[in-house]
Short mmCIF file of all heavy atoms in Angstrom, two decimals:
data_model
loop_
_atom_site.label_atom_id
_atom_site.label_comp_id
_atom_site.label_asym_id
_atom_site.label_seq_id
_atom_site.Cartn_x
_atom_site.Cartn_y
_atom_site.Cartn_z
N ALA A 1 -7.34 10.24 8.01
CA ALA A 1 -7.31 9.99 9.45
C ALA A 1 -5.90 10.27 9.97
O ALA A 1 -4.92 9.90 9.31
CB ALA A 1 -7.71 8.55 9.74
N PRO A 2 -5.78 10.90 11.12
CA PRO A 2 -4.45 11.27 11.61
C PRO A 2 -3.59 10.07 11.99
O PRO A 2 -2.38 10.19 12.09
CB PRO A 2 -4.75 12.15 12.83
CG PRO A 2 -6.13 11.81 13.23
CD PRO A 2 -6.85 11.36 12.00
N TRP A 3 -4.18 8.91 12.20
CA TRP A 3 -3.42 7.73 12.64
C TRP A 3 -3.03 6.81 11.50
O TRP A 3 -2.47 5.75 11.72
CB TRP A 3 -4.21 6.94 13.69
CG TRP A 3 -5.55 6.52 13.18
CD1 TRP A 3 -5.83 5.40 12.46
CD2 TRP A 3 -6.77 7.20 13.33
NE1 TRP A 3 -7.16 5.35 12.14
CE2 TRP A 3 -7.77 6.47 12.68
CE3 TRP A 3 -7.14 8.40 13.97
CZ2 TRP A 3 -9.10 6.86 12.63
CZ3 TRP A 3 -8.46 8.78 13.92
CH2 TRP A 3 -9.41 8.02 13.26
N THR A 4 -3.32 7.19 10.26
CA THR A 4 -2.97 6.34 9.13
C THR A 4 -2.05 7.09 8.17
O THR A 4 -2.08 8.31 8.08
CB THR A 4 -4.22 5.89 8.35
OG1 THR A 4 -4.89 7.05 7.86
CG2 THR A 4 -5.15 5.07 9.19
N ASP A 5 -1.24 6.34 7.46
CA ASP A 5 -0.39 6.90 6.42
C ASP A 5 -1.22 6.93 5.14
O ASP A 5 -1.67 5.88 4.66
CB ASP A 5 0.85 6.04 6.24
CG ASP A 5 1.87 6.65 5.29
OD1 ASP A 5 1.46 7.33 4.32
OD2 ASP A 5 3.07 6.44 5.51
N LEU A 6 -1.45 8.09 4.61
CA LEU A 6 -2.32 8.25 3.44
C LEU A 6 -1.81 7.45 2.24
O LEU A 6 -2.60 6.94 1.45
CB LEU A 6 -2.45 9.73 3.08
CG LEU A 6 -3.41 10.06 1.96
CD1 LEU A 6 -4.82 9.57 2.28
CD2 LEU A 6 -3.43 11.55 1.69
N ARG A 7 -0.50 7.27 2.14
CA ARG A 7 0.04 6.49 1.01
C ARG A 7 -0.37 5.03 1.11
O ARG A 7 -0.65 4.39 0.09
CB ARG A 7 1.56 6.63 0.97
CG ARG A 7 2.01 8.07 0.72
CD ARG A 7 3.48 8.24 0.92
NE ARG A 7 3.82 7.95 2.32
CZ ARG A 7 5.05 7.95 2.82
NH1 ARG A 7 6.07 8.22 2.03
NH2 ARG A 7 5.26 7.71 4.09
N ILE A 8 -0.44 4.49 2.34
CA ILE A 8 -0.88 3.10 2.51
C ILE A 8 -2.36 2.99 2.21
O ILE A 8 -2.81 2.02 1.59
CB ILE A 8 -0.54 2.60 3.92
CG1 ILE A 8 0.99 2.52 4.09
CG2 ILE A 8 -1.17 1.23 4.19
CD1 ILE A 8 1.45 2.13 5.47
N VAL A 9 -3.15 3.99 2.62
CA VAL A 9 -4.58 4.00 2.31
C VAL A 9 -4.79 4.05 0.80
O VAL A 9 -5.59 3.29 0.25
CB VAL A 9 -5.29 5.18 3.01
CG1 VAL A 9 -6.73 5.32 2.55
CG2 VAL A 9 -5.22 5.04 4.52
N LYS A 10 -4.04 4.92 0.14
CA LYS A 10 -4.16 5.04 -1.32
C LYS A 10 -3.80 3.72 -2.00
O LYS A 10 -4.50 3.27 -2.91
CB LYS A 10 -3.24 6.16 -1.82
CG LYS A 10 -3.31 6.39 -3.31
CD LYS A 10 -2.42 7.53 -3.74
CE LYS A 10 -2.42 7.70 -5.24
NZ LYS A 10 -1.49 8.75 -5.67
N ALA A 11 -2.74 3.08 -1.54
CA ALA A 11 -2.35 1.78 -2.11
C ALA A 11 -3.43 0.74 -1.88
O ALA A 11 -3.72 -0.07 -2.76
CB ALA A 11 -1.03 1.32 -1.51
N GLY A 12 -4.05 0.76 -0.70
CA GLY A 12 -5.13 -0.18 -0.41
C GLY A 12 -6.33 0.04 -1.33
O GLY A 12 -6.95 -0.92 -1.78
N LEU A 13 -6.64 1.29 -1.60
CA LEU A 13 -7.74 1.59 -2.52
C LEU A 13 -7.41 1.12 -3.93
O LEU A 13 -8.26 0.56 -4.62
CB LEU A 13 -8.05 3.09 -2.49
CG LEU A 13 -8.67 3.60 -1.20
CD1 LEU A 13 -8.66 5.13 -1.16
CD2 LEU A 13 -10.08 3.07 -1.02
N LEU A 14 -6.17 1.35 -4.35
CA LEU A 14 -5.75 0.88 -5.68
C LEU A 14 -5.81 -0.64 -5.76
O LEU A 14 -6.23 -1.20 -6.76
CB LEU A 14 -4.33 1.38 -5.98
CG LEU A 14 -4.20 2.88 -6.22
CD1 LEU A 14 -2.74 3.31 -6.14
CD2 LEU A 14 -4.80 3.27 -7.55
N ASP A 15 -5.40 -1.30 -4.69
CA ASP A 15 -5.46 -2.76 -4.63
C ASP A 15 -6.90 -3.24 -4.72
O ASP A 15 -7.22 -4.18 -5.45
CB ASP A 15 -4.80 -3.22 -3.32
CG ASP A 15 -4.78 -4.73 -3.16
OD1 ASP A 15 -5.04 -5.46 -4.13
OD2 ASP A 15 -4.50 -5.19 -2.05
N THR A 16 -7.80 -2.60 -3.98
CA THR A 16 -9.22 -2.96 -3.99
C THR A 16 -9.80 -2.83 -5.40
O THR A 16 -10.62 -3.64 -5.81
CB THR A 16 -10.01 -2.06 -3.02
OG1 THR A 16 -9.48 -2.25 -1.71
CG2 THR A 16 -11.48 -2.38 -3.02
N ALA A 17 -9.33 -1.84 -6.13
CA ALA A 17 -9.83 -1.63 -7.49
C ALA A 17 -9.13 -2.53 -8.51
O ALA A 17 -9.43 -2.45 -9.70
CB ALA A 17 -9.65 -0.16 -7.88
N GLY A 18 -8.19 -3.37 -8.05
CA GLY A 18 -7.51 -4.28 -8.96
C GLY A 18 -6.32 -3.68 -9.67
O GLY A 18 -5.78 -4.29 -10.59
N ARG A 19 -5.90 -2.51 -9.28
CA ARG A 19 -4.75 -1.85 -9.91
C ARG A 19 -3.50 -2.19 -9.09
O ARG A 19 -2.94 -1.36 -8.39
CB ARG A 19 -5.01 -0.36 -10.01
CG ARG A 19 -6.18 -0.07 -10.95
CD ARG A 19 -6.65 1.34 -10.98
NE ARG A 19 -5.64 2.29 -11.32
CZ ARG A 19 -5.85 3.61 -11.34
NH1 ARG A 19 -7.04 4.08 -11.06
NH2 ARG A 19 -4.88 4.43 -11.64
N LEU A 20 -3.08 -3.46 -9.20
CA LEU A 20 -2.01 -3.99 -8.36
C LEU A 20 -0.65 -3.34 -8.65
O LEU A 20 0.13 -3.12 -7.72
CB LEU A 20 -1.93 -5.50 -8.51
CG LEU A 20 -3.19 -6.26 -8.08
CD1 LEU A 20 -3.02 -7.75 -8.34
CD2 LEU A 20 -3.52 -5.99 -6.63
N ASP A 21 -0.35 -3.05 -9.91
CA ASP A 21 0.93 -2.41 -10.22
C ASP A 21 1.03 -1.03 -9.58
O ASP A 21 2.07 -0.67 -9.02
CB ASP A 21 1.12 -2.28 -11.74
CG ASP A 21 1.36 -3.62 -12.41
OD1 ASP A 21 1.83 -4.56 -11.72
OD2 ASP A 21 1.09 -3.74 -13.62
N ALA A 22 -0.05 -0.26 -9.65
CA ALA A 22 -0.06 1.07 -9.04
C ALA A 22 0.02 0.97 -7.52
O ALA A 22 0.71 1.76 -6.87
CB ALA A 22 -1.30 1.84 -9.45
N ALA A 23 -0.66 -0.03 -6.94
CA ALA A 23 -0.60 -0.23 -5.48
C ALA A 23 0.81 -0.58 -5.05
O ALA A 23 1.32 -0.05 -4.05
CB ALA A 23 -1.59 -1.32 -5.06
N ALA A 24 1.47 -1.49 -5.79
CA ALA A 24 2.84 -1.89 -5.45
C ALA A 24 3.78 -0.70 -5.54
O ALA A 24 4.63 -0.51 -4.67
CB ALA A 24 3.29 -3.02 -6.37
N ALA A 25 3.64 0.12 -6.58
CA ALA A 25 4.50 1.29 -6.73
C ALA A 25 4.30 2.27 -5.58
O ALA A 25 5.27 2.84 -5.06
CB ALA A 25 4.21 1.98 -8.07
N GLU A 26 3.06 2.47 -5.17
CA GLU A 26 2.77 3.37 -4.05
C GLU A 26 3.41 2.86 -2.76
O GLU A 26 4.00 3.61 -2.00
CB GLU A 26 1.26 3.52 -3.88
CG GLU A 26 0.84 4.58 -2.91
CD GLU A 26 1.07 5.99 -3.41
OE1 GLU A 26 0.94 6.25 -4.62
OE2 GLU A 26 1.40 6.86 -2.57
N LEU A 27 3.30 1.57 -2.51
CA LEU A 27 3.84 0.98 -1.29
C LEU A 27 5.36 0.97 -1.27
O LEU A 27 5.97 1.12 -0.22
CB LEU A 27 3.29 -0.43 -1.10
CG LEU A 27 1.81 -0.49 -0.75
CD1 LEU A 27 1.27 -1.90 -0.92
CD2 LEU A 27 1.56 0.02 0.66
N GLN A 28 5.99 0.79 -2.42
CA GLN A 28 7.45 0.79 -2.47
C GLN A 28 8.01 2.15 -2.11
O GLN A 28 9.12 2.24 -1.60
CB GLN A 28 7.94 0.35 -3.84
CG GLN A 28 7.75 -1.14 -4.06
CD GLN A 28 8.04 -1.58 -5.47
OE1 GLN A 28 8.03 -0.78 -6.41
NE2 GLN A 28 8.30 -2.86 -5.64
N SER A 29 7.24 3.20 -2.32
CA SER A 29 7.73 4.55 -2.00
C SER A 29 7.64 4.87 -0.52
O SER A 29 8.25 5.81 -0.05
CB SER A 29 6.95 5.60 -2.80
OG SER A 29 5.61 5.69 -2.30
N VAL A 30 6.90 4.06 0.25
CA VAL A 30 6.70 4.35 1.68
C VAL A 30 7.89 3.86 2.50
O VAL A 30 8.50 4.62 3.23
CB VAL A 30 5.39 3.74 2.20
CG1 VAL A 30 5.21 4.03 3.67
CG2 VAL A 30 4.21 4.28 1.41
N GLY A 31 8.20 2.58 2.42
CA GLY A 31 9.37 2.05 3.09
C GLY A 31 9.23 1.66 4.56
O GLY A 31 10.19 1.26 5.18
N THR A 32 8.05 1.76 5.14
CA THR A 32 7.87 1.36 6.53
C THR A 32 7.59 -0.14 6.61
O THR A 32 7.30 -0.78 5.60
CB THR A 32 6.70 2.12 7.19
OG1 THR A 32 5.49 1.75 6.51
CG2 THR A 32 6.89 3.62 7.12
N GLY A 33 7.65 -0.69 7.81
CA GLY A 33 7.35 -2.10 8.00
C GLY A 33 5.94 -2.43 7.60
O GLY A 33 5.68 -3.46 6.96
N ALA A 34 4.98 -1.57 7.97
CA ALA A 34 3.58 -1.81 7.60
C ALA A 34 3.41 -1.79 6.08
O ALA A 34 2.68 -2.61 5.52
CB ALA A 34 2.68 -0.75 8.24
N ALA A 35 4.10 -0.87 5.42
CA ALA A 35 4.00 -0.80 3.96
C ALA A 35 4.62 -2.04 3.31
O ALA A 35 4.10 -2.55 2.32
CB ALA A 35 4.69 0.46 3.44
N ARG A 36 5.73 -2.55 3.88
CA ARG A 36 6.35 -3.76 3.32
C ARG A 36 5.42 -4.96 3.48
O ARG A 36 5.34 -5.81 2.59
CB ARG A 36 7.70 -4.02 3.98
CG ARG A 36 8.80 -3.12 3.45
CD ARG A 36 10.17 -3.60 3.89
NE ARG A 36 10.34 -3.59 5.33
CZ ARG A 36 10.78 -2.55 6.04
NH1 ARG A 36 11.09 -1.43 5.42
NH2 ARG A 36 10.92 -2.63 7.34
N GLU A 37 4.70 -5.03 4.59
CA GLU A 37 3.75 -6.14 4.76
C GLU A 37 2.62 -6.05 3.74
O GLU A 37 2.20 -7.06 3.17
CB GLU A 37 3.19 -6.14 6.18
CG GLU A 37 4.22 -6.60 7.20
CD GLU A 37 3.67 -6.67 8.60
OE1 GLU A 37 2.43 -6.78 8.75
OE2 GLU A 37 4.48 -6.63 9.53
N GLU A 38 2.11 -4.84 3.51
CA GLU A 38 1.06 -4.66 2.50
C GLU A 38 1.59 -4.97 1.10
O GLU A 38 0.91 -5.59 0.29
CB GLU A 38 0.52 -3.23 2.55
CG GLU A 38 -0.22 -2.88 3.82
CD GLU A 38 -1.54 -3.65 3.95
OE1 GLU A 38 -2.19 -3.91 2.93
OE2 GLU A 38 -1.88 -3.99 5.09
N LEU A 39 2.82 -4.53 0.85
CA LEU A 39 3.44 -4.80 -0.45
C LEU A 39 3.60 -6.30 -0.68
O LEU A 39 3.36 -6.79 -1.79
CB LEU A 39 4.80 -4.10 -0.55
CG LEU A 39 5.60 -4.33 -1.82
CD1 LEU A 39 4.82 -3.89 -3.06
CD2 LEU A 39 6.94 -3.61 -1.74
N ARG A 40 3.96 -7.01 0.36
CA ARG A 40 4.10 -8.47 0.26
C ARG A 40 2.78 -9.09 -0.20
O ARG A 40 2.75 -9.93 -1.09
CB ARG A 40 4.54 -9.05 1.60
CG ARG A 40 4.72 -10.55 1.59
CD ARG A 40 5.25 -11.05 2.93
NE ARG A 40 4.46 -10.61 4.06
CZ ARG A 40 3.40 -11.26 4.55
NH1 ARG A 40 3.00 -12.36 3.99
NH2 ARG A 40 2.75 -10.79 5.59
N GLU A 41 1.68 -8.63 0.36
CA GLU A 41 0.36 -9.17 -0.01
C GLU A 41 0.03 -8.85 -1.47
O GLU A 41 -0.50 -9.70 -2.20
CB GLU A 41 -0.73 -8.60 0.91
CG GLU A 41 -0.60 -9.03 2.35
CD GLU A 41 -0.77 -10.52 2.53
OE1 GLU A 41 -1.60 -11.13 1.81
OE2 GLU A 41 -0.08 -11.09 3.38
N VAL A 42 0.34 -7.64 -1.91
CA VAL A 42 0.07 -7.25 -3.30
C VAL A 42 0.91 -8.10 -4.25
O VAL A 42 0.42 -8.58 -5.27
CB VAL A 42 0.34 -5.74 -3.50
CG1 VAL A 42 0.31 -5.38 -4.98
CG2 VAL A 42 -0.67 -4.91 -2.73
N LEU A 43 2.19 -8.30 -3.91
CA LEU A 43 3.06 -9.09 -4.77
C LEU A 43 2.60 -10.54 -4.86
O LEU A 43 2.69 -11.16 -5.92
CB LEU A 43 4.50 -9.01 -4.27
CG LEU A 43 5.17 -7.64 -4.42
CD1 LEU A 43 6.51 -7.63 -3.70
CD2 LEU A 43 5.32 -7.25 -5.87
N ILE A 44 2.09 -11.08 -3.77
CA ILE A 44 1.55 -12.44 -3.80
C ILE A 44 0.36 -12.51 -4.74
O ILE A 44 0.24 -13.43 -5.55
CB ILE A 44 1.16 -12.90 -2.37
CG1 ILE A 44 2.44 -13.16 -1.55
CG2 ILE A 44 0.28 -14.15 -2.42
CD1 ILE A 44 2.19 -13.37 -0.08
#
């Protein structure tokens, strides 16, 4: 979708599948505020 960052979508899919380490790594590479909020949830 043109309004979403594909890296955040990919991290969300990895999170949904239970691959939290891969999701966290994907989100750390983004660096935006939205990605940091998602990363916070994964780390929790």
Side-chain angles (χ1 to χ4, degrees):
W3 57 85
T4 60
D5 187 326
L6 185 58
R7 297 170 297 177
I8 294 176
V9 172
K10 182 178 176 184
L13 291 168
L14 290 165
D15 181 13
T16 300
R19 295 172 57 183
L20 299 177
D21 289 336
E26 189 71 35
L27 290 166
Q28 287 172 339
S29 70
V30 179
T32 64
R36 282 193 298 271
E37 288 183 22
E38 294 292 326
L39 177 58
R40 181 176 53 88
E41 295 296 324
V42 170
L43 292 171
I44 288 169

